[in-house]
């Protein structure tokens, strides 16, 4: 695996994790941190899903 693809893989995992966090907070499944403005805000479910898909796409590209 080249250095660029290894870096893309790490970035993809982080982006996927952040997307899932955003979606979880928006859905009210993850209520941490308590001061987050994303808690139980339905629009963040969509934004998080889009970010998570971008991370998954980056992981897919890095592993092919």
């Amino acid at each position: 695996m080249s250095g660029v693809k290894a870096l893309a893989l790490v970035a993809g995992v982080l982006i996927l994790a952040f997307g899932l966090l955003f979606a979880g907070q928006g859905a009210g499944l993850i209520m941490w941190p308590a001061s987050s403005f994303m808690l139980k805000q339905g629009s963040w479910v969509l934004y998080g899903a889009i970010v998570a898909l971008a991370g998954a796409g980056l992981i897919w590209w890095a592993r092919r």
Side-chain angles (χ1 to χ4, degrees), residues 5-37:
K5 287 205 173 190
L7 184 60
L9 181 63
V10 170
V13 169
L14 289 174
I15 292 169
L16 176 65
F18 276 110
L20 293 174
L21 175 65
F22 295 168
Q25 285 181 328
L29 300 173
I30 301 171
M31 300 299 285
W32 172 86
S35 62
S36 177
F37 60 91

Side-chain angles (χ1 to χ4, degrees), residues 33-62:
S35 62
S36 177
F37 60 91
M38 292 186 270
L39 299 179
K40 293 188 179 178
Q41 299 294 319
S43 59
W44 283 98
V45 175
L46 177 62
Y47 302 151
I50 292 169
V51 171
L53 282 174
L58 196 54
I59 292 168
W60 173 80
W61 177 80

